[in-house]
Amino acid sequence: MIHRECGVLKTTYEADMALYPLPIARWTVAALAVLFFLVLPFSVHEYYLSIVNLIAIAVVGALGLNILVGSTGQISIGHGAFMSVGAYTAANFAVRLGAPFWLALPLGGAMAALVGAVVGIPSLRIKGLYLAIATLAGQLIIEWTINHVTWISGGVQASIEMPRPAFLGVEIASQRGMYFFLMFFVVLAVVGTLNLLRSRIGRAFIAIRDHDIAAEIIGINIFRYKLLAFAISSFYAGVTGVLYTYYLGIANYEQFQITVSIDYLAMIIIGGLGSVLGAIFGAIFVTLLPIVIRYAMEALGGLVFSQASVLNIIPNLRLILFGTLIVFFLVVEPEGLNRLWRNIRNYFRVWPFAY
Amino acid sequence: MVEWQFTLLLLSNGLLIGLMYSLIALGFVLVYKATDAINFAQGEFVMIAGFVVAVALGAYGAPLWLAVPLGLAAMVAFGFGLERVMLRRLIGRPIIAVVMATIGLAAILRGVGPLTWGAETKPLVLPISDEPFILGPLFVPPIQLLGASVSIVFLGVFGWFFLKSRKGIAMRAIADSQQVAMAMGINVERYFALAWAMTGVVSALGGVIWGSMLGVDVHLSLVGFKVFPVVILGGLDSIPGAILGGLIVGVVENVAAGYVDPYVGGGTKDFAPYVLMILALMIRPYGIFGKRIIERV
């Protein structure tokens, strides 16, 4: 956030790593809380709120993937599948045993964490490219299993209808209710990630990313922490999957195919690897991109192209822009939107003075 | 049909399909061998080549002898250009950057193909008959025979290229150590471009053969998913490995589909190679012929 740091002197490491780096940051957070919990939900139309809800779901997933890819330096092309594991676990518990959301959600997350850790086992022996291919295999195998085992997927269409979540006996049915429901988990995920990354575990992750051999030499148990990174990251993914099923009202494996894994990877690359703010930026950007393209094409595309070809152009244009952005950020600005934001912030930090 | 005849049929089909997988995997191996870059867009290369040839044949009515070289030239130019614009800038960056960049490239190509040439499936008709040759109990579709022979020819050509030719030896030197190769006066960037162009050639022929078998649309790029089991089994940097890996994957998926599909309701074809690959990654991640340079931490 933009703060003047005038007059702040830090004398301990604790102060440097505190959750609120400056006293004024408390006020910024309070202002954001007012904006997101009081102003936004009551001033915005339900349709726009439904888009915000989609972003909220994506934020949780991007934060989780960023722990694994950005902070620990492992790669996963299987996060879409981990989300489906969470989604189907929660849906089965909710439908067969009538589990409420506060039970189904952590169970979905835990199951995804377990599966994620299993898929992550190869990361102990292989790195980089091989890990990417192994997690890709995980994605395809999980997808196939869910699609073909009717005990999990509940029948022909491989989809399970999800009951609405209920809070204190009240069903959450409107987009506004869903907004508060999702925001609760977003806050939990953001604070959880911020705290995780400044804890012993988070520092171990970053050490493994920066140099795994050196990390092992200073006494970090690589075996444990890599698996832990996979488990935590997949837990977030599982929770994302459960939230998405609650949002849609249906668990369907088609919502969690490999393109989803790639969408989430794009989010953290475009947003900025290894930073919480970057994951949030990326989630917003990648979620809004197709919506903006659709609006722009529906508004302006008709002037140039016929109606039928506009419908053909929209999904393809999305793919092209999406790929171009990934390549652009990788080649030109590997630290993503977060870096751009920091540049802006640093400029205004000392503004209007040059130094 | 008698049981052993059924098995024999599955085996022979598997071997032929496997060689056609090898052809596509060869493109992946060439790039990896020379530049250490991983191409997650191999299937999309094949798709684009298929589009170019199919459109030249269909929409413009070009004769085959013109359309195929046109596809080749387009893919060579594409390979050169891609190296210039994108991959050269990623040299020396972490492996995840290259992986993600080619994934991004794959997305771009999957959008560009249908956007430029239309989303509907285009036939790519080669002047060969659909009637299978019948050799005793075996049925051999001519297109598979053609694909298999092209693969074998390319194995020979690239084998000779890397073992004997001056350029091939330079490429092996680069793969060994880029710095030393540079010090010996090899223009590394030019050879990188050459490697991508060679991948373009292989992809173009893959596009013609697979396109004529499946028809050309965006789903043609799914062939790329078969590349990973093939190259992991055979070894990422080995040309004979690509051939052997292709044969294994082809046979395994055909036999698995023939015997397991009736019990689980289909889809084993896409599933079995990946299970095999996971096993290979656990036991022998560098593959059958690959160099043992895997770091384990």
Side-chain angles (χ1 to χ4, degrees):
Chain A
M1 302 298 135
I2 298 176
H3 299 124
R4 297 303 183 95
E5 288 155 39
C6 227
V8 177
L9 176 66
K10 288 171 181 165
T11 49
T12 59
Y13 283 117
E14 282 76 26
D16 202 37
M17 295 193 62
L19 201 52
Y20 299 110
L22 304 166
I24 194 182
R26 285 169 205 278
W27 291 103
T28 324
V29 172
L32 283 176
V34 169
L35 174 68
F36 280 109
F37 283 93
L38 295 175
V39 180
L40 187 73
F42 296 107
S43 63
V44 169
H45 188 268
E46 288 249 316
Y47 170 70
Y48 296 108
L49 220 47
S50 75
I51 295 174
V52 179
N53 285 346
L54 277 179
I55 294 175
I57 295 167
V59 166
V60 178
L63 282 170
L65 186 59
N66 212 358
I67 293 174
L68 183 69
V69 181
S71 304
T72 320
Q74 309 299 304
I75 189 171
S76 165
I77 315 185
H79 259 58
F82 302 155
M83 287 173 198
S84 67
V85 170
Y88 277 97
T89 308
N92 273 312
F93 271 107
V95 170
R96 292 187 191 195
L97 304 173
F101 79 84
W102 50 264
L103 196 63
L105 194 116
L107 279 172
M111 186 57 124
L114 189 71
V115 172
V118 171
V119 173
I121 287 177
S123 73
L124 309 171
R125 291 194 48 177
I126 54 181
K127 297 209 297 193
L129 160 68
Y130 288 91
L131 186 59
I133 296 178
T135 52
L136 175 70
Q139 164 88 32
L140 296 174
I141 289 172
I142 292 170
E143 232 176 67
W144 187 89
T145 310
I146 287 179
N147 198 8
H148 282 82
V149 181
T150 43
W151 186 77
I152 304 173
S153 61
V156 202
Q157 297 289 321
S159 54
I160 305 175
E161 265 195 56
M162 190 78 163
R164 296 235 163 247
F167 183 65
L168 298 176
V170 184
E171 244 186 32
I172 301 171
S174 69
Q175 285 292 346
R176 188 162 295 127
M178 195 42 99
Y179 174 81
F180 284 110
F181 176 71
L182 292 173
M183 266 303 165
F184 172 73
F185 292 104
V186 170
V187 171
L188 215 61
V190 170
V191 176
T193 314
L194 281 173
N195 276 328
L196 177 79
L197 290 181
R198 51 193 203 109
S199 70
R200 182 188 175 82
I201 297 172
R203 291 198 301 272
F205 286 170
I206 292 165
I208 292 174
R209 174 194 68 190
D210 288 347
H211 205 296
D212 41 11
I213 296 170
E216 193 162 31
I217 287 167
I218 59 170
I220 291 167
N221 186 341
I222 299 223
F223 177 81
R224 235 179 72 195
Y225 281 104
K226 274 189 179 173
L227 277 196
L228 195 62
F230 262 98
I232 292 174
S233 175
S234 314
F235 184 86
Y236 275 76
V239 169
T240 311
V242 181
L243 292 177
Y244 195 49
T245 10
Y246 273 125
Y247 174 84
L248 285 180
I250 197 163
N252 188 335
Y253 81 103
E254 283 179 6
Q255 306 295 337
F256 305 107
Q257 281 175 333
I258 185 159
T259 45
V260 175
S261 301
I262 293 169
D263 281 359
Y264 276 87
L265 278 171
M267 282 178 202
I268 59 172
I269 284 171
I270 292 173
L273 286 173
S275 90
V276 170
L277 206 55
I280 298 173
F281 284 150
I284 296 172
F285 194 92
V286 170
T287 315
L288 285 183
L289 184 69
I291 297 170
V292 171
I293 292 176
R294 204 181 63 226
Y295 270 109
M297 283 310 289
E298 276 169 5
L300 306 171
L303 304 177
V304 191
F305 310 102
S306 70
Q307 201 55 43
S309 65
V310 166
L311 289 178
N312 176 31
I313 288 169
I314 291 171
N316 293 321
L317 196 64
R318 178 187 116 75
L319 274 174
I320 294 172
L321 264 180
F322 189 69
T324 313
L325 280 165
I326 295 178
V327 174
F328 172 82
F329 274 102
L330 279 169
V331 170
V332 180
E333 185 57 271
E335 286 175 68
L337 291 172
N338 186 44
R339 179 57 190 246
L340 298 179
W341 164 250
R342 279 218 311 269
N343 288 347
I344 297 170
R345 194 184 59 180
N346 286 343
Y347 176 78
F348 280 106
R349 206 161 84 174
V350 288
W351 188 82
F353 308 108
Y355 293 99
Chain B
M1 203 190 308
V2 196
E3 185 64 27
W4 67 267
Q5 284 186 339
F6 181 56
T7 312
L8 207 62
L9 191 64
L10 288 175
L11 279 176
S12 73
N13 265 337
L15 289 174
L16 288 171
I17 288 275
L19 276 174
M20 292 168 65
Y21 287 144
S22 305
L23 182 61
I24 297 172
L26 207 56
F28 184 96
V29 168
L30 279 173
V31 162
Y32 185 78
K33 200 174 165 71
T35 71
D36 270 349
I38 301 103
N39 189 3
F40 268 71
Q42 187 63 46
E44 280 73 13
F45 274 45
V46 171
M47 176 196 76
I48 291 286
F51 264 120
V52 171
V53 176
V55 168
L57 279 174
Y60 295 100
L64 193 69
W65 58 263
L66 192 65
V68 172
L70 186 73
L72 279 171
M75 290 313 289
V76 167
F78 179 66
F80 267 120
L82 193 69
E83 198 276 338
R84 190 79 231 193
V85 175
M86 186 174 116
L87 292 142
R88 187 170 295 182
R89 295 160 196 256
L90 291 170
I91 292 174
R93 293 273 295 282
I95 213 147
I96 175 179
V98 184
V99 169
M100 276 313 296
T102 54
I103 287 178
L105 177 70
I108 298 176
L109 296 181
R110 266 205 309 278
V112 166
L115 192 63
T116 323
W117 294 295
E120 73 284 352
T121 307
K122 295 176 182 48
L124 199 166
V125 188
L126 295 181
I128 48 177
S129 91
D130 289 336
E131 290 293 307
F133 300 120
I134 299 173
L135 305 166
L138 302 179
F139 299 90
V140 181
I143 180 68
Q144 292 191 5
L145 207 59
L146 177 69
S149 6
V150 170
S151 291
I152 291 170
V153 168
F154 267 86
L155 168 74
V157 169
F158 285 120
W160 171 84
F161 176 81
F162 277 107
L163 279 178
K164 298 283 180 199
S165 83
R166 205 182 152 78
K167 285 195 163 52
I169 292 168
M171 259 189 203
R172 272 163 53 211
I174 294 169
D176 222 34
S177 164
Q178 292 182 10
Q179 278 192 0
V180 175
M182 268 185 207
M184 296 302 288
I186 296 171
N187 185 345
V188 172
E189 286 177 348
R190 222 177 70 204
Y191 281 97
F192 279 10
L194 182 65
W196 281 98
M198 279 158 63
T199 294
V201 171
V202 176
S203 309
L205 288 170
V208 172
I209 286 158
W210 278 99
S212 78
M213 215 164 77
L214 305 174
V216 180
D217 61 7
V218 85
H219 300 294
L220 187 56
S221 63
L222 294 180
V223 162
F225 278 124
K226 288 281 158 56
V227 165
F228 300 113
V230 173
V231 292
I232 290 289
L233 279 170
L236 278 173
D237 55 356
S238 159
I239 291 173
I243 301 291
L244 191 63
L247 291 175
I248 294 173
V249 166
V251 167
V252 164
E253 72 165 29
N254 260 283
V255 171
Y259 286 107
V260 185
D261 259 1
Y263 301 104
V264 296
T268 324
K269 241 185 174 140
D270 303 320
F271 172 73
Y274 274 89
V275 175
L276 193 67
M277 188 186 84
I278 291 273
L279 292 177
L281 277 174
M282 285 176 174
I283 300 162
R284 206 181 158 91
Y286 39 82
I288 299 168
F289 293 121
K291 264 192 297 186
R292 301 190 181 205
I293 41 165
I294 290 205
E295 270 182 88
R296 285 180 184 156
V297 181

